Amino acid sequence: MSRYVDPSSITGRVLVRDVIVVDPLDGSRTTGQDVVVEGNRITAVTATGAPAWDAHVVEGQGRFVVPAFMDMHLHALNTPKDVDGTYALMLANGVVGFRQMSGNRELLKSRRMGTLPRPNGAPELKATAGDLLTPLNANTTESAIQAVREQHRDGADFIKAALTTRETFLAALQEANRLGIRLGGHLPADLDPREAARAGVWSIEHLGPGVTAFAAASSLENEVRASNATRKLPPIPRIKVPGAEALATKLIKGLVTNPATGTSEREAHAYALADGSYDQQKAEELAALFAEHTTWQCPTLIRVHTQQFGDSTEHTEDPRRRYMAAEELRAWDKSAKKFSKLPDVIRSALHHHWAAQLRMTKTFADAGVPMVAGTDACGAAGVIPGFALHDEFDHLAEAGLDPLTILRMTTTEPARFLDEEGEFGRVAAGMPADLVLLDGDPLESHTALREIAGVMRAGSWWSRAELDAVLERVAAKPGAH
């Protein structure tokens, strides 16, 4: 039972009457529709006038219905015993599924045994990695290969590369391809993204991260690469001794709160050099290669914005912080203070790089590079679970993406991304009963996606008033991570 979500929402047979059904697949609107739900499935979508029988009726009054949203980069289950607050914020924002980007053997075991927490209204875990590939478990090609084998054996859906080198990344990728398990994540600073695409990497997160992909779009590529040194990491134990894994987790958590706080002047120079030598033709060639090899991108623009503007009042005084756990806010504030002390040359380079990231995102979209929406919430400073996905929509629009593309990135494209095309992401008979009722037209403006009049999760319906009550319960006892 969730501490925040009242279980008295409408369940059973539900009829959502007189709505405009939006199909992200073809961008169509169909007016005057009734959506009939029984259990956790849509059983019919018909012209308004379907018999109510014993159904609970939700009056749509000509509002818009879209498939509920997916966040394809999340860390909700980093705290599996205390996830209720995060899940409640996701429900209130129409988020009904996610890809867990960091796991471990215990998480994989819990999923196999069906013991993961599933409070009322909880989103669906669509996919999870095992342990991140870091110097702890992948400091040599041999150990990287072994880590891939172990995660494949333990049932991971994919491998997440976090802190690797070119050699360990490519070794892990080759083994993952051999075993038939996907590998994605962070590209190492010394790896050409074109090499990663040709080698079959599944997804690239955060547009790189860092300057790696931007070097490939620079007229001074060799100089940028020479400046883009692999970041030195704090000492991480490489042998299995009692407490080593906990220590490594603590060190990595400190890094991920805001990695930008560790930016060196050399890295700042690489950003400035890449941004000042941007070559649109090379960027389009990179995009064409990604499209050719189906190299997925999850830009997480909200994450890179909170990193690169780490002490901005936009983030440090965000009123939605009231939903976050106190210990989480303390970590965020400590990180913001550290960011504020960075030299001006570093802060300036980080700020100016934002425009390049927007430009790259638009170039990818225009070239048909496959992309999904994600936030990196749960551990990332300034990123509020649930709400962050709508922040991501705002930044994607700022980059120049149209409303339909943004809607697809959180509905039909996640289905394709996870090889579940046709299994979710549309409002049609046989689809999961995961819906969002909107006051505005999402094909006219992406901002309509936050104008939520109600949410259906697995056949249970929450009205706007009930969602507001969920938010107030979280605010009264902040518990999101």
Side-chain angles (χ1 to χ4, degrees), residues 370-393:
M371 294 197 292
V372 287
T375 65
D376 211 2
C378 306
V383 182
I384 315 288
F387 290 98
L389 191 60
H390 296 277
D391 297 336
E392 182 70 6
F393 300 156

PDB file of all heavy atoms in Angstrom, residues 370-393:
ATOM      1  N   PRO A 370      16.519   7.856 -34.139  1.00  0.00           N
ATOM      2  CA  PRO A 370      15.500   7.443 -33.178  1.00  0.00           C
ATOM      3  C   PRO A 370      15.823   7.978 -31.784  1.00  0.00           C
ATOM      4  O   PRO A 370      16.956   7.881 -31.311  1.00  0.00           O
ATOM      5  CB  PRO A 370      15.571   5.912 -33.224  1.00  0.00           C
ATOM      6  CG  PRO A 370      16.956   5.603 -33.698  1.00  0.00           C
ATOM      7  CD  PRO A 370      17.324   6.716 -34.630  1.00  0.00           C
ATOM      8  N   MET A 371      14.804   8.559 -31.128  1.00  0.00           N
ATOM      9  CA  MET A 371      15.016   9.179 -29.831  1.00  0.00           C
ATOM     10  C   MET A 371      13.849   8.890 -28.894  1.00  0.00           C
ATOM     11  O   MET A 371      12.706   8.774 -29.325  1.00  0.00           O
ATOM     12  CB  MET A 371      15.193  10.698 -29.976  1.00  0.00           C
ATOM     13  CG  MET A 371      16.441  11.115 -30.718  1.00  0.00           C
ATOM     14  SD  MET A 371      16.867  12.874 -30.458  1.00  0.00           S
ATOM     15  CE  MET A 371      15.507  13.655 -31.313  1.00  0.00           C
ATOM     16  N   VAL A 372      14.171   8.793 -27.610  1.00  0.00           N
ATOM     17  CA  VAL A 372      13.162   8.622 -26.571  1.00  0.00           C
ATOM     18  C   VAL A 372      13.381   9.680 -25.501  1.00  0.00           C
ATOM     19  O   VAL A 372      14.475  10.232 -25.363  1.00  0.00           O
ATOM     20  CB  VAL A 372      13.221   7.220 -25.934  1.00  0.00           C
ATOM     21  CG1 VAL A 372      12.677   6.162 -26.883  1.00  0.00           C
ATOM     22  CG2 VAL A 372      14.632   6.859 -25.477  1.00  0.00           C
ATOM     23  N   ALA A 373      12.329   9.950 -24.742  1.00  0.00           N
ATOM     24  CA  ALA A 373      12.390  10.952 -23.687  1.00  0.00           C
ATOM     25  C   ALA A 373      12.779  10.307 -22.369  1.00  0.00           C
ATOM     26  O   ALA A 373      12.284   9.235 -22.011  1.00  0.00           O
ATOM     27  CB  ALA A 373      11.039  11.651 -23.543  1.00  0.00           C
ATOM     28  N   GLY A 374      13.681  10.958 -21.639  1.00  0.00           N
ATOM     29  CA  GLY A 374      14.099  10.490 -20.326  1.00  0.00           C
ATOM     30  C   GLY A 374      14.585  11.656 -19.502  1.00  0.00           C
ATOM     31  O   GLY A 374      14.841  12.746 -20.030  1.00  0.00           O
ATOM     32  N   THR A 375      14.747  11.433 -18.188  1.00  0.00           N
ATOM     33  CA  THR A 375      15.038  12.548 -17.287  1.00  0.00           C
ATOM     34  C   THR A 375      16.265  12.374 -16.407  1.00  0.00           C
ATOM     35  O   THR A 375      16.825  13.349 -15.945  1.00  0.00           O
ATOM     36  CB  THR A 375      13.842  12.792 -16.362  1.00  0.00           C
ATOM     37  OG1 THR A 375      13.658  11.641 -15.512  1.00  0.00           O
ATOM     38  CG2 THR A 375      12.569  13.063 -17.155  1.00  0.00           C
ATOM     39  N   ASP A 376      16.648  11.134 -16.119  1.00  0.00           N
ATOM     40  CA  ASP A 376      17.722  10.848 -15.150  1.00  0.00           C
ATOM     41  C   ASP A 376      17.311  11.193 -13.728  1.00  0.00           C
ATOM     42  O   ASP A 376      18.159  11.453 -12.867  1.00  0.00           O
ATOM     43  CB  ASP A 376      19.021  11.568 -15.519  1.00  0.00           C
ATOM     44  CG  ASP A 376      20.266  10.795 -15.094  1.00  0.00           C
ATOM     45  OD1 ASP A 376      20.122   9.681 -14.549  1.00  0.00           O
ATOM     46  OD2 ASP A 376      21.384  11.303 -15.286  1.00  0.00           O
ATOM     47  N   ALA A 377      16.001  11.225 -13.460  1.00  0.00           N
ATOM     48  CA  ALA A 377      15.529  11.529 -12.118  1.00  0.00           C
ATOM     49  C   ALA A 377      15.945  10.447 -11.131  1.00  0.00           C
ATOM     50  O   ALA A 377      16.209   9.308 -11.506  1.00  0.00           O
ATOM     51  CB  ALA A 377      14.011  11.677 -12.116  1.00  0.00           C
ATOM     52  N   CYS A 378      15.962  10.847  -9.850  1.00  0.00           N
ATOM     53  CA  CYS A 378      16.282   9.995  -8.706  1.00  0.00           C
ATOM     54  C   CYS A 378      17.796   9.907  -8.520  1.00  0.00           C
ATOM     55  O   CYS A 378      18.437   8.940  -8.946  1.00  0.00           O
ATOM     56  CB  CYS A 378      15.648   8.620  -8.808  1.00  0.00           C
ATOM     57  SG  CYS A 378      13.864   8.678  -9.080  1.00  0.00           S
ATOM     58  N   GLY A 379      18.340  10.949  -7.923  1.00  0.00           N
ATOM     59  CA  GLY A 379      19.769  11.030  -7.684  1.00  0.00           C
ATOM     60  C   GLY A 379      20.414  12.213  -8.360  1.00  0.00           C
ATOM     61  O   GLY A 379      21.466  12.683  -7.932  1.00  0.00           O
ATOM     62  N   ALA A 380      19.805  12.724  -9.424  1.00  0.00           N
ATOM     63  CA  ALA A 380      20.349  13.857 -10.166  1.00  0.00           C
ATOM     64  C   ALA A 380      19.849  15.156  -9.554  1.00  0.00           C
ATOM     65  O   ALA A 380      18.646  15.366  -9.409  1.00  0.00           O
ATOM     66  CB  ALA A 380      19.938  13.779 -11.629  1.00  0.00           C
ATOM     67  N   ALA A 381      20.764  16.038  -9.207  1.00  0.00           N
ATOM     68  CA  ALA A 381      20.403  17.295  -8.553  1.00  0.00           C
ATOM     69  C   ALA A 381      19.446  18.111  -9.406  1.00  0.00           C
ATOM     70  O   ALA A 381      19.665  18.304 -10.603  1.00  0.00           O
ATOM     71  CB  ALA A 381      21.657  18.110  -8.263  1.00  0.00           C
ATOM     72  N   GLY A 382      18.363  18.581  -8.790  1.00  0.00           N
ATOM     73  CA  GLY A 382      17.427  19.469  -9.464  1.00  0.00           C
ATOM     74  C   GLY A 382      16.412  18.802 -10.348  1.00  0.00           C
ATOM     75  O   GLY A 382      15.563  19.491 -10.929  1.00  0.00           O
ATOM     76  N   VAL A 383      16.456  17.487 -10.469  1.00  0.00           N
ATOM     77  CA  VAL A 383      15.536  16.769 -11.357  1.00  0.00           C
ATOM     78  C   VAL A 383      14.428  16.147 -10.497  1.00  0.00           C
ATOM     79  O   VAL A 383      14.681  15.228  -9.714  1.00  0.00           O
ATOM     80  CB  VAL A 383      16.277  15.685 -12.169  1.00  0.00           C
ATOM     81  CG1 VAL A 383      15.320  14.992 -13.127  1.00  0.00           C
ATOM     82  CG2 VAL A 383      17.440  16.304 -12.940  1.00  0.00           C
ATOM     83  N   ILE A 384      13.204  16.659 -10.631  1.00  0.00           N
ATOM     84  CA  ILE A 384      12.074  16.247  -9.796  1.00  0.00           C
ATOM     85  C   ILE A 384      11.319  15.123 -10.497  1.00  0.00           C
ATOM     86  O   ILE A 384      10.791  15.325 -11.606  1.00  0.00           O
ATOM     87  CB  ILE A 384      11.101  17.419  -9.549  1.00  0.00           C
ATOM     88  CG1 ILE A 384      11.842  18.701  -9.201  1.00  0.00           C
ATOM     89  CG2 ILE A 384      10.077  17.044  -8.487  1.00  0.00           C
ATOM     90  CD1 ILE A 384      12.471  18.745  -7.858  1.00  0.00           C
ATOM     91  N   PRO A 385      11.255  13.928  -9.925  1.00  0.00           N
ATOM     92  CA  PRO A 385      10.578  12.811 -10.606  1.00  0.00           C
ATOM     93  C   PRO A 385       9.176  13.194 -11.065  1.00  0.00           C
ATOM     94  O   PRO A 385       8.460  13.943 -10.405  1.00  0.00           O
ATOM     95  CB  PRO A 385      10.531  11.731  -9.517  1.00  0.00           C
ATOM     96  CG  PRO A 385      11.663  12.051  -8.598  1.00  0.00           C
ATOM     97  CD  PRO A 385      11.768  13.547  -8.594  1.00  0.00           C
ATOM     98  N   GLY A 386       8.775  12.667 -12.186  1.00  0.00           N
ATOM     99  CA  GLY A 386       7.447  12.944 -12.735  1.00  0.00           C
ATOM    100  C   GLY A 386       7.391  14.293 -13.414  1.00  0.00           C
ATOM    101  O   GLY A 386       7.219  14.387 -14.643  1.00  0.00           O
ATOM    102  N   PHE A 387       7.554  15.344 -12.666  1.00  0.00           N
ATOM    103  CA  PHE A 387       7.557  16.699 -13.223  1.00  0.00           C
ATOM    104  C   PHE A 387       8.686  16.866 -14.242  1.00  0.00           C
ATOM    105  O   PHE A 387       8.554  17.619 -15.211  1.00  0.00           O
ATOM    106  CB  PHE A 387       7.730  17.735 -12.115  1.00  0.00           C
ATOM    107  CG  PHE A 387       6.544  17.864 -11.203  1.00  0.00           C
ATOM    108  CD1 PHE A 387       6.518  17.211  -9.984  1.00  0.00           C
ATOM    109  CD2 PHE A 387       5.454  18.643 -11.568  1.00  0.00           C
ATOM    110  CE1 PHE A 387       5.436  17.328  -9.127  1.00  0.00           C
ATOM    111  CE2 PHE A 387       4.358  18.771 -10.721  1.00  0.00           C
ATOM    112  CZ  PHE A 387       4.346  18.110  -9.492  1.00  0.00           C
ATOM    113  N   ALA A 388       9.802  16.184 -14.003  1.00  0.00           N
ATOM    114  CA  ALA A 388      10.973  16.352 -14.869  1.00  0.00           C
ATOM    115  C   ALA A 388      10.692  15.935 -16.304  1.00  0.00           C
ATOM    116  O   ALA A 388      11.305  16.464 -17.230  1.00  0.00           O
ATOM    117  CB  ALA A 388      12.158  15.559 -14.312  1.00  0.00           C
ATOM    118  N   LEU A 389       9.780  14.988 -16.492  1.00  0.00           N
ATOM    119  CA  LEU A 389       9.486  14.580 -17.863  1.00  0.00           C
ATOM    120  C   LEU A 389       8.838  15.737 -18.629  1.00  0.00           C
ATOM    121  O   LEU A 389       9.111  15.935 -19.813  1.00  0.00           O
ATOM    122  CB  LEU A 389       8.592  13.345 -17.881  1.00  0.00           C
ATOM    123  CG  LEU A 389       8.429  12.679 -19.246  1.00  0.00           C
ATOM    124  CD1 LEU A 389       9.773  12.216 -19.805  1.00  0.00           C
ATOM    125  CD2 LEU A 389       7.470  11.499 -19.174  1.00  0.00           C
ATOM    126  N   HIS A 390       8.019  16.514 -17.952  1.00  0.00           N
ATOM    127  CA  HIS A 390       7.418  17.688 -18.590  1.00  0.00           C
ATOM    128  C   HIS A 390       8.466  18.781 -18.800  1.00  0.00           C
ATOM    129  O   HIS A 390       8.396  19.511 -19.799  1.00  0.00           O
ATOM    130  CB  HIS A 390       6.232  18.171 -17.763  1.00  0.00           C
ATOM    131  CG  HIS A 390       5.131  17.167 -17.700  1.00  0.00           C
ATOM    132  ND1 HIS A 390       4.186  17.036 -18.696  1.00  0.00           N
ATOM    133  CD2 HIS A 390       4.860  16.192 -16.790  1.00  0.00           C
ATOM    134  CE1 HIS A 390       3.361  16.044 -18.389  1.00  0.00           C
ATOM    135  NE2 HIS A 390       3.760  15.513 -17.244  1.00  0.00           N
ATOM    136  N   ASP A 391       9.422  18.880 -17.895  1.00  0.00           N
ATOM    137  CA  ASP A 391      10.555  19.779 -18.134  1.00  0.00           C
ATOM    138  C   ASP A 391      11.320  19.345 -19.385  1.00  0.00           C
ATOM    139  O   ASP A 391      11.764  20.184 -20.178  1.00  0.00           O
ATOM    140  CB  ASP A 391      11.510  19.771 -16.932  1.00  0.00           C
ATOM    141  CG  ASP A 391      10.880  20.279 -15.650  1.00  0.00           C
ATOM    142  OD1 ASP A 391       9.901  21.047 -15.735  1.00  0.00           O
ATOM    143  OD2 ASP A 391      11.367  19.904 -14.560  1.00  0.00           O
ATOM    144  N   GLU A 392      11.471  18.035 -19.537  1.00  0.00           N
ATOM    145  CA  GLU A 392      12.150  17.512 -20.724  1.00  0.00           C
ATOM    146  C   GLU A 392      11.392  17.889 -21.991  1.00  0.00           C
ATOM    147  O   GLU A 392      12.005  18.285 -22.994  1.00  0.00           O
ATOM    148  CB  GLU A 392      12.295  15.992 -20.623  1.00  0.00           C
ATOM    149  CG  GLU A 392      13.040  15.336 -21.782  1.00  0.00           C
ATOM    150  CD  GLU A 392      14.535  15.655 -21.814  1.00  0.00           C
ATOM    151  OE1 GLU A 392      15.044  16.295 -20.866  1.00  0.00           O
ATOM    152  OE2 GLU A 392      15.192  15.257 -22.784  1.00  0.00           O
ATOM    153  N   PHE A 393      10.077  17.787 -21.948  1.00  0.00           N
ATOM    154  CA  PHE A 393       9.283  18.197 -23.102  1.00  0.00           C
ATOM    155  C   PHE A 393       9.538  19.669 -23.438  1.00  0.00           C
ATOM    156  O   PHE A 393       9.655  20.041 -24.610  1.00  0.00           O
ATOM    157  CB  PHE A 393       7.789  17.988 -22.836  1.00  0.00           C
ATOM    158  CG  PHE A 393       7.376  16.566 -22.537  1.00  0.00           C
ATOM    159  CD1 PHE A 393       6.214  16.304 -21.818  1.00  0.00           C
ATOM    160  CD2 PHE A 393       8.131  15.488 -22.978  1.00  0.00           C
ATOM    161  CE1 PHE A 393       5.813  15.002 -21.551  1.00  0.00           C
ATOM    162  CE2 PHE A 393       7.744  14.171 -22.705  1.00  0.00           C
ATOM    163  CZ  PHE A 393       6.582  13.937 -21.993  1.00  0.00           C
TER     164      PHE A 393
END
